[in-house]
Amino acid sequence: MLEVRNLEVVYSDVILVLRGISLSIPDGSIVALLGANGAGKTTTLRAVSGLLDVHNGNVTKGEILLDGEPIHRKSAAKIVRLGVSQALEGRRILAEMSVEENLRLGAHTNHRSMDANMERVYHLFPLLRDRAKSTAGYLSGGEQQMLAIGRALMSAPRYLLLDEPSLGLAPLLVQQIRDIIVEINRQGTGVLLVEQNAMMALSIADHGFIMEIGKIVMDKPAGELLDDEDVREFYLGLSGDEVQSFAQVKHYRRKKRWLS
């Protein structure tokens, strides 16, 4: 079990971003973390994966536990060795290196199983096998996202953190990424999925959390969130069975229940 308990994060010693959030990712499950830009989703992932210090952030309260043991004071490399890996928002591949070199970098904490993990990635993403010697910067956006996920899998993580994997992709590619996440989970990897495409995320998640302004405001099984009237209007752009226009969504008829 990967758990976040009452976590508070501050940037630059003054900017309070997370305000006591708690969530959990059971072994082998998919958990969706939803919310608008600026809600604190990426900060949550950075805290779990040990990347806060890169952005001058610190955990000031609470804890992050892996199988009951605290990991929030450990380095990012140690957290990867413990079985938690992240595919960053915006892909962050090394554009001047080849596809294979990018994948090998993902195995820097797990050299012994590199060949087996490489084969797993190529099985999930056959296109990467075909482009193994190609310069990564020449890949399409969808191919780069596949490479970013594949690189995160090279450490054979128990838990994979995905930050906006569908961002900027065409609908057909979003469907492919969705199916790949399901397959990764089917193979036994737990997934914490941060997504603005709430419909896609909730369609494959077991459980969902919704964040606003650094707080968890709703926490339910994914199916219940899909049926919740507030979620349908404020996050899925649905009113009843109608898809609203952007102009309609901008002016909500109801106040959010958690802001009452």
Side-chain angles (χ1 to χ4, degrees):
M1 174 85 76
L2 182 59
E3 300 174 89
V4 175
R5 293 183 182 174
N6 302 314
L7 194 69
E8 184 176 278
V9 168
V10 173
Y11 285 116
S12 303
D13 296 325
V14 294
I15 305 170
L16 179 62
V17 177
L18 298 186
R19 305 163 184 264
I21 71 164
S22 296
L23 56 86
S24 60
I25 307 95
D27 281 351
S29 68
I30 299 177
V31 172
L33 181 59
L34 311 176
N37 285 334
K41 305 185 303 298
T42 293
T43 294
T44 302
L45 296 192
R46 288 174 182 166
V48 174
S49 60
L51 295 176
L52 278 177
D53 56 347
V54 177
H55 303 273
N56 201 22
N58 288 289
V59 173
T60 53
K61 289 183 181 179
E63 57 187 354
I64 301 167
L65 305 174
L66 179 61
D67 298 333
E69 296 296 323
I71 63 171
H72 56 285
R73 303 298 182 193
K74 297 184 183 298
S75 68
K78 184 65 176 294
I79 291 171
V80 171
R81 290 188 183 96
L82 290 172
V84 181
S85 184
Q86 180 177 353
L88 302 172
E89 181 183 0
R91 292 128 201 180
R92 310 290 181 88
I93 62 167
L94 296 175
E96 296 182 357
M97 300 179 73
S98 72
V99 167
E100 183 176 308
E101 288 169 336
N102 270 270
L103 292 176
R104 287 183 177 276
L105 283 174
H108 72 283
T109 62
N110 193 6
H111 291 290
R112 293 181 179 178
S113 301
M114 182 185 296
D115 291 342
N117 292 333
M118 187 86 73
E119 188 58 35
R120 178 194 182 194
V121 170
Y122 284 153
H123 178 76
L124 286 165
F125 306 102
L127 185 144
L128 295 183
R129 187 194 299 273
D130 297 338
R131 305 288 297 275
K133 302 303 180 183
S134 299
T135 301
Y138 289 113
L139 300 180
S140 69
E143 292 165 351
Q144 290 185 12
Q145 184 62 69
M146 293 176 188
L147 178 56
I149 296 173
R151 183 176 59 189
L153 290 172
M154 286 297 293
S155 62
R158 285 175 55 199
Y159 296 95
L160 177 64
L161 315 182
L162 296 175
D163 197 352
E164 303 285 3
S166 74
L167 185 66
L169 301 184
L172 182 59
L173 288 173
V174 172
Q175 180 64 37
Q176 291 179 6
I177 294 297
R178 174 196 181 279
D179 293 344
I180 287 166
I181 295 170
V182 170
E183 177 59 21
I184 290 169
N185 178 249
R186 189 193 67 78
Q187 293 177 4
T189 304
V191 178
L192 177 56
L193 175 60
V194 163
E195 259 294 338
Q196 287 200 44
N197 187 336
M199 184 71 81
M200 184 274 272
L202 291 176
S203 72
I204 61 175
D206 301 296
H207 202 89
F209 295 82
I210 294 179
M211 290 189 74
E212 286 202 0
I213 320 174
K215 296 180 179 180
I216 300 292
V217 296
M218 193 175 289
D219 162 16
K220 290 182 178 181
E224 292 184 23
L225 287 176
L226 279 170
D227 292 335
D228 187 278
E229 290 186 5
D230 282 324
V231 175
R232 290 175 65 81
E233 181 169 353
F234 301 130
Y235 292 97
L236 305 182
L238 302 172
S239 179
D241 294 324
E242 298 284 334
V243 178
Q244 301 183 65
S245 70
F246 177 71
Q248 289 173 311
V249 171
K250 282 175 62 180
H251 303 288
Y252 301 119
R253 294 188 302 276
R254 296 181 296 113
K255 188 175 182 179
K256 294 178 182 178
R257 185 168 64 246
W258 52 86
L259 296 181
S260 299

